[in-house]
Amino acid sequence: MKSCITVLGGALAAALLAATALTGDAAQGSSTSVKRVDPHTRLTAMRIKPLDPSKWTDAHREVIGPQGVESQRAVCAHNLELCRKYWEFTTMLTNHYTLPLRDKELMILRTAWLSRGNFVWGAHSTGAGKKAGITDEELTRITQGTDAKEWNNFDRALLRAADELHTSRFIKDATWKTLDERYDDGQLVELLFIVGDYTLLTMFHNSVGLPLRPGIKGLPD
């Protein structure tokens, strides 16, 4: 009987160790545990159309800029002061970022994937993402997340940070430590705002039904 209890005790201990190891992997943000936002039926017509140019004032023209009537700014311009303030903020992240461009684009694309942001994915997979050197193979890996073996440790930490902000609005200590080895405090703040900004943009684009630009391919199936 004592021998049987010993065997059972050993088996139980092994099972507990295995469970602890599995829980530890999940705590580190394994992408298999990251759930994208619930799917939605993409709108075939815009709920809010761009503000008619006949209603534009000089203030509207300043905010909308050269992108014109078909732009996202022309939709946002229905709420002019909010739009003005918001685009000052998002332009800072677009034009005056301090993170390496590739790092920034990895986080934006992962956020777009998790948020089902068709417009953001289309724009960045073909525009800034290409400029940053992100390949088609890496775009596929972004959809696979941290499970893809080919990522280096820092790229994996970037994707994990986007995952953790998506799931819990908090970057865990292990992920933060890896990022902190390369980024200064200002860049760490910037990283948080990038993920937040592009999460907000996906909500805006998805809900108003902003269409992809001609010739731009959106999220993969």
Side-chain angles (χ1 to χ4, degrees):
M1 178 65 70
K2 183 176 181 181
S3 175
C4 181
I5 292 173
T6 301
V7 170
L8 288 173
L12 178 61
L16 288 172
L17 285 172
T20 301
L22 180 60
T23 303
D25 288 343
Q28 290 302 310
S30 174
S31 64
T32 55
S33 66
V34 177
K35 182 181 177 182
R36 300 169 71 193
V37 298
D38 290 343
H40 62 274
T41 301
R42 291 179 191 156
L43 298 172
T44 57
M46 295 185 69
R47 285 172 166 167
I48 302 176
K49 296 185 182 300
L51 184 67
D52 192 291
S54 66
K55 298 181 180 180
W56 293 8
T57 64
D58 288 344
H60 286 100
R61 294 186 186 91
E62 181 182 356
V63 170
I64 295 168
Q67 299 180 54
V69 69
E70 298 302 324
S71 70
Q72 56 185 326
R73 293 192 185 201
V75 180
C76 180
H78 283 281
N79 190 324
L80 180 61
E81 285 309 304
L82 184 151
C83 186
R84 184 202 308 276
K85 295 293 194 301
Y86 172 71
W87 245 271
E88 288 176 359
F89 163 66
T90 197
T91 299
M92 281 293 298
L93 298 175
T94 303
N95 297 336
H96 304 289
Y97 55 89
T98 64
L99 296 179
L101 180 60
R102 184 176 182 278
D103 295 3
K104 181 168 82 92
E105 290 302 313
L106 283 175
M107 298 205 70
I108 290 171
L109 286 161
R110 181 62 177 170
T111 300
W113 171 255
L114 294 171
S115 302
R116 300 185 190 272
N118 201 45
F119 187 90
V120 171
W121 180 275
H124 285 264
S125 62
T126 58
K130 291 295 185 185
K131 182 180 177 182
I134 294 175
T135 65
D136 289 342
E137 188 272 336
E138 287 176 317
L139 287 174
T140 298
R141 272 199 269 137
I142 288 169
T143 69
Q144 297 166 352
T146 58
D147 285 343
K149 297 177 181 178
E150 296 85 355
W151 295 121
N152 62 46
N153 288 338
F154 194 80
D155 286 351
R156 185 171 282 108
L158 287 170
L159 298 181
R160 185 172 292 127
D163 289 357
E164 291 171 353
L165 289 170
H166 173 75
T167 56
S168 64
R169 302 297 186 258
F170 176 78
I171 295 179
K172 296 174 183 175
D173 286 345
T175 307
W176 187 270
K177 181 179 179 180
T178 300
L179 299 174
D180 189 44
E181 290 172 357
R182 187 174 299 186
Y183 293 159
D184 62 29
D185 287 349
Q187 289 174 311
L188 290 166
V189 170
E190 184 177 308
L191 177 150
L192 297 170
F193 277 96
I194 285 170
V195 173
D197 184 36
Y198 282 88
T199 300
L200 173 59
L201 279 171
T202 61
M203 292 190 288
F204 169 52
H205 297 154
N206 290 349
S207 295
V208 302
L210 192 70
L212 292 167
R213 297 188 181 100
I216 299 297
K217 185 177 180 180
L219 287 164
D221 296 331

